[in-house]
Amino acid sequence: MIKKHFAILVLLLFSWFATGVIPALAQQHPYPFNDPALAMEKRIDSLLSLMTVDEKVNCLSTNTGVPRLGVMSYGSSEGIHGVVQREARGKRLPVTTTQFPQPPGMGESWDPDLVRQAAGVQGYEARYITQTAKYDRQILMLWGPQSDLARDPRWGRSEEVYGEDPFFNGTMAVAFIKGLQGDDPKYWQAAALLKHFLANSNENLRTSSSSDFDQRLFWEYYSVPFRMGFEDGGAKAVMASYNAWNGTTMAVNPILRSIVHEKWGVDVISSDGGAVHLLVDPRHLFPDQKSAVVACLKAGINQFLDKYQDETKAALKDGSITEAEIDALLRPKFRVTIRLGLLDPPEMVPYTKIKDSPEPWNTERDRAVSKQMALESVVLLKNENAFLPLEKEAIKSIAVIGPLANSVHWDWYGGTPPYAVTPLKAITDEVGPGVKVNYAADELGNAAINAAKASDVAVVVVGNDPTCGPDMAHDWHDTVDGGGTLACTTPSDGREGRDRESITLEQEQLVKQVYAVNKKTVVVLISSFPFAINWTQTYVPAILHMAHASQDEGTALAQVIFGDYNPGGHLTVTWPKSLDQLPPMMDYNIRNGRTYMYFKGEPLYPFGYGLSYTTFKYSNLRTSSSQMAKDGTVTVSVDVTNTGGRAGDAVVQLYVKHLRSKVERPRQELKGFRRIGVQPGETKTVQIPLQASTLAWWDEKLPGFRVEAEPVRVMIGNSSADIELSTEVRVQ
């Protein structure tokens, strides 16, 4: 019987060779790791067993490819508000990609669904660039979203984050991650890498500073957007920040393993650029680069952005690190490779077809998302006596004035757009040839005054320079405190490497000059962060705010100014009247007066603030139950009526206040929100879920989150300072 079966097998093998089946199978799955039918960990076992030590060391960078085995790298690119591919290298072509507003602007939309669409555009464009031979680069891991919190308006990189509230930022981060990674149940479109873990919100002395605060603030504030991004969004990659937390530098902090990797399931933990060297100088934690590299590897870092290869090989040679430890670090990275479909036959991965589409940044689909994001990001800060929108038929001339009127400013973490519409261009196109447009960039030679005098109305476009100068990448120098910083000549400017010295808008002097000769003045503030525009708020009849870097900046502003679009954006940080209202910059204990939750005094504009060309009335607040289990959820419902004459978007904000907590709590906390369009006279019911788990506080004695049995006030409002309705729910 055995001989008979053997004979049959020989005949089958002969037949398969003759028909070419075996070579075809071998070509399809040349190695076990190429077999999609194998379990993920078995595939990774196969891949690691076939790699040389040098190949393994090489994969501890952003290049995760193994060319000898046909394994493609997923690579990397910056991508917090647009895929960044600035320069051509060798024969590579420069790439233009869709550019959305900076994250504060995306946040000011209060529209997670739109943020998800924008991230979907980025993920699609990253796939297209990666899979199109014309561009020849791998960028499937995008470095975003930036999940830190804007705890202080002086922070130079607050332009990179959504806002100051942990629940809000986490909600936006989850939306961004889901859009980036796509909807397929098996494969990712692109991979998200969150930045920068943890509590990274000072630039001055960041290479030697420590962010100090207790466990409760770690779990209830600073880590919340990251945890939500990993647990709710499904992200699997993060970058450690330069700073220390309570004295322990993040690149070697034990929580990278114990919490980030083991508790939250993160696969890729990256160092930041130059972070390893900083452990040697200026921190002096290790005597040399090799010791610092080994410490990072032991802490769980498996992706380096600086020098590490020679040091890792030397450590392997002397036994400081073992090949088995390197394998353990690489294993989770290759899980990302598999999730991206890079080891599977292309026909199995739906996103591989993207290469056959037109260049996406030139399609109406991507441009429509860009325009909508720009429109929804515009915030109306003041509109005295319904000064806006302007009626084109009622004006014969308009002045467009200011240093930001005829440009769109980009930042270090944005790419190159396929087009850019300036405010001047859009306003000129909007009013048409029948209206005289008087442009002046500044007040030199009385240009601004003359333009304002000669016009029926003046639009003054002011703000900051997000690159802090024309050559940001090279304008670094040593300062008297021994730290590298960014050269800026304007005190209120900030960027990576430099915190702001002031929140006073120097260009407010230009606003004053224009207003002195033309009381019909609109101020458009295009900025990366808050400014204390107290004079402008007092005197100028209309003020708009928008973040930088949208390719449709001018289009959105013109449509809002002339009433083609009703602004519905709301602020995502507290705008102080002065720095006197803030604690010292390095005070990371937000309970001492930071964010709307603990702010002392009256702000210029509160968190969640934003006006509309119409009015809304909230009524009939109710909950699905007056009681909620500690692991339960209630649905909060409220009726929203448009009581004005224009269609518009209401941003319904749900806050809670703990009435009898055993521990200190914020005065109020955002726990839900919804942006909804309502027609004049129409009433819509908005439903927002409230989960008991979001009411928990961190109990160090457990340790763990504890949901208290207590009454909680549920509040609905237009902003954190404008609560319309409230009711109570008892947690049991």
Side-chain angles (χ1 to χ4, degrees):
M1 183 67 70
I2 294 175
K3 289 183 179 180
K4 181 179 179 181
H5 286 166
F6 181 75
I8 293 172
L9 179 60
V10 170
L11 287 172
L12 284 172
L13 288 171
F14 179 80
S15 172
W16 288 342
F17 273 116
T19 58
V21 171
I22 285 182
L25 289 173
Q27 187 175 10
Q28 187 176 4
H29 305 308
Y31 304 106
F33 68 76
N34 293 119
D35 185 357
L38 281 181
M40 178 182 287
E41 299 307 315
K42 293 289 186 183
R43 299 177 74 180
I44 297 173
D45 287 341
S46 167
L47 177 55
L48 289 171
S49 72
L50 295 166
M51 292 172 65
T52 67
V53 171
D54 283 353
E55 287 169 337
K56 291 176 180 179
V57 172
N58 289 340
C59 284
L60 290 170
S61 66
T62 58
N63 181 0
T64 54
V66 189
R68 181 180 61 86
L69 300 175
V71 176
M72 179 180 170
S73 172
Y74 48 74
S76 66
S77 169
E78 298 285 0
I80 58 174
H81 60 96
V83 178
V84 179
Q85 289 294 298
R86 296 190 190 92
E87 299 176 355
R89 288 181 291 173
K91 295 182 179 179
R92 293 179 176 180
L93 296 174
V95 186
T96 60
T97 54
T98 303
Q99 298 300 302
F100 298 100
Q102 293 173 314
M106 297 174 74
E108 285 173 349
S109 74
W110 287 69
D111 191 343
D113 290 338
L114 186 57
V115 170
R116 184 169 180 166
Q117 291 178 49
V121 165
Q122 289 187 217
Y124 190 99
E125 293 184 358
R127 268 283 176 175
Y128 183 86
I129 294 166
T130 298
Q131 295 172 173
T132 304
K134 173 181 177 181
Y135 296 111
D136 184 30
R137 63 195 77 182
Q138 287 75 50
I139 54 169
L140 289 183
M141 179 171 280
L142 296 183
W143 296 357
Q146 230 281 35
S147 298
D148 285 301
L149 289 147
R151 67 177 180 100
D152 192 300
R154 289 167 290 193
W155 181 32
R157 297 184 75 172
S158 59
E159 63 179 11
E160 297 181 29
V161 304
Y162 297 112
E164 71 184 19
D165 180 81
F167 175 83
F168 180 87
N169 281 26
T171 301
M172 291 304 190
V174 168
F176 189 95
I177 292 160
K178 288 185 174 180
L180 201 68
Q181 297 187 171
D183 299 324
D184 188 85
K186 183 176 182 180
Y187 295 106
W188 286 349
Q189 177 177 244
L193 180 144
L194 280 58
K195 301 193 302 183
H196 302 86
F197 188 82
L198 174 81
N200 176 71
S201 55
N202 64 279
E203 295 304 295
N204 297 350
L205 297 175
R206 65 180 181 167
T207 59
S208 57
S209 66
S210 178
S211 305
D212 298 337
F213 49 88
D214 59 29
Q215 286 278 338
R216 281 195 62 198
L217 285 179
F218 173 90
W219 288 103
E220 297 174 29
Y221 186 72
Y222 289 105
S223 72
V224 170
F226 291 93
R227 174 175 54 81
M228 290 176 67
F230 302 136
E231 294 186 343
D232 301 336
K236 294 291 184 181
V238 71
M239 184 180 293
S241 54
Y242 289 122
N243 59 284
W245 172 44
N246 292 349
T248 303
T249 309
M250 290 311 306
V252 292
N253 200 303
I255 65 172
L256 294 181
R257 278 196 183 275
S258 62
I259 296 177
V260 177
H261 177 62
E262 295 175 7
K263 189 176 182 68
W264 293 334
V266 176
D267 289 331
V268 178
I269 303 178
S270 177
S271 68
D272 204 341
V276 179
H277 176 71
L278 297 175
L279 297 173
V280 181
D281 183 19
R283 290 196 181 269
H284 305 295
L285 296 175
F286 303 96
D288 51 46
Q289 181 84 358
K290 177 192 156 190
S291 302
V293 167
V294 171
C296 289
L297 292 168
K298 300 280 188 182
I301 297 289
N302 59 3
Q303 178 170 289
F304 289 92
L305 302 190
D306 51 354
K307 187 174 179 292
Y308 78 94
Q309 290 187 341
D310 292 343
E311 292 81 1
T312 303
K313 290 175 183 177
L316 282 165
K317 187 174 181 179
D318 69 15
S320 301
I321 196 85
T322 66
E323 187 174 354
E325 289 177 292
I326 299 296
D327 287 352
L329 289 165
L330 290 179
R331 177 175 293 276
K333 295 191 76 172
F334 289 127
R335 291 182 192 134
V336 174
T337 298
I338 292 172
R339 289 186 181 100
L340 289 165
L342 300 183
L343 300 185
D344 290 356
E347 61 272 14
M348 290 185 63
V349 184
Y351 300 114
T352 58
K353 299 180 179 65
I354 287 176
K355 68 180 184 300
D356 301 321
S357 65
E359 292 186 330
W361 43 86
N362 292 323
T363 64
E364 183 52 38
R365 177 193 61 197
D366 287 16
R367 292 184 176 190
V369 178
S370 171
K371 290 175 185 175
Q372 189 64 28
M373 180 59 77
L375 286 166
E376 291 197 17
S377 74
V378 179
V379 183
L380 180 62
L381 295 177
K382 184 180 179 182
N383 196 25
E384 187 175 68
N385 298 322
F387 186 82
L388 291 177
L390 300 178
E391 295 183 18
K392 284 179 280 189
E393 297 77 11
I395 59 175
K396 292 183 171 53
S397 58
I398 184 170
V400 183
I401 297 168
L404 276 69
N406 195 29
S407 60
V408 176
H409 284 246
W410 312 111
D411 60 27
W412 208 5
Y413 292 102
T416 303
Y419 62 88
V421 183
T422 69
L424 176 62
K425 175 69 166 60
I427 289 172
T428 301
D429 291 346
E430 185 76 21
V431 298
V435 176
K436 179 75 164 68
V437 177
N438 297 307
Y439 166 64
D442 49 44
E443 65 269 39
L444 294 178
N446 288 328
I449 291 175
N450 292 337
K453 281 182 177 179
S455 304
D456 295 331
V457 65
V459 177
V460 186
V461 189
V462 291
N464 71 298
D465 179 351
T467 59
C468 235
D471 192 22
M472 177 184 167
H474 301 97
D475 283 347
W476 293 79
H477 60 85
D478 288 333
T479 56
V480 292
D481 57 26
T485 190
L486 183 61
C488 296
T489 57
T490 304
S492 63
D493 274 349
R495 195 59 185 96
E496 179 176 359
R498 182 188 188 272
D499 289 320
R500 305 168 70 197
E501 299 170 17
S502 165
I503 59 171
T504 299
L505 180 66
E506 288 82 2
Q507 295 165 14
E508 199 167 36
Q509 179 62 29
L510 174 62
V511 176
K512 293 177 181 179
Q513 290 180 335
V514 171
Y515 182 78
V517 298
N518 191 332
K519 297 298 186 287
K520 295 182 178 180
T521 294
V522 179
V523 168
V524 177
L525 176 60
I526 303 177
S527 72
S528 308
F529 21 61
F531 280 92
I533 50 171
N534 300 295
W535 188 94
T536 300
Q537 171 62 27
T538 300
Y539 293 103
V540 175
I543 309 170
L544 294 167
H545 177 258
M546 189 179 190
H548 285 289
S550 168
Q551 63 191 37
D552 291 295
E553 175 186 296
T555 301
L557 289 171
Q559 289 192 17
V560 167
I561 288 169
F562 292 102
D564 298 321
Y565 184 82
N566 187 350
H570 285 243
L571 299 178
T572 61
V573 295
T574 302
W575 287 40
K577 291 181 178 179
S578 76
L579 290 180
D580 294 337
Q581 294 179 301
L582 298 174
M585 182 65 181
M586 288 306 297
D587 184 353
Y588 270 79
N589 183 354
I590 65 168
R591 302 183 192 98
N592 292 332
R594 295 198 188 281
T595 80
Y596 74 97
M597 295 184 286
Y598 296 101
F599 191 81
K600 298 175 182 177
E602 182 183 2
L604 178 62
Y605 304 116
F607 173 84
Y609 176 83
L611 303 176
S612 172
Y613 293 157
T614 190
T615 53
F616 300 99
K617 178 185 176 183
Y618 297 139
S619 62
N620 195 21
L621 174 63
R622 64 268 191 202
T623 58
S624 57
S625 174
S626 61
Q627 299 178 343
M628 177 166 51
K630 290 184 178 181
D631 59 351
T633 301
V634 298
T635 300
V636 180
S637 301
V638 65
D639 294 340
V640 182
T641 303
N642 185 337
T643 55
R646 289 177 178 266
D649 289 357
V651 175
V652 183
Q653 301 168 40
L654 187 159
Y655 296 88
V656 301
K657 179 177 178 61
H658 298 269
L659 298 179
R660 285 200 291 273
S661 178
K662 296 181 178 65
V663 295
E664 182 184 6
R665 296 295 192 104
R667 68 167 64 97
Q668 64 192 83
E669 299 174 82
L670 182 74
K671 294 301 177 186
F673 58 92
R674 175 94 181 274
R675 179 168 180 155
I676 184 171
V678 191
Q679 295 295 316
E682 181 184 20
T683 297
K684 284 187 176 181
T685 298
V686 173
Q687 294 185 327
I688 302 174
L690 175 61
Q691 295 180 309
S693 60
T694 67
L695 306 177
W697 61 277
W698 183 261
D699 187 344
E700 293 187 43
K701 294 179 181 178
L702 286 178
F705 281 108
R706 181 186 293 276
V707 179
E708 291 183 288
E710 60 162 339
V712 174
R713 179 170 295 141
V714 177
M715 303 174 287
I716 292 291
N718 296 299
S719 77
S720 60
D722 184 12
I723 301 300
E724 297 277 344
L725 302 169
S726 67
T727 187
E728 285 187 19
V729 171
R730 178 169 288 278
V731 182
Q732 296 184 329

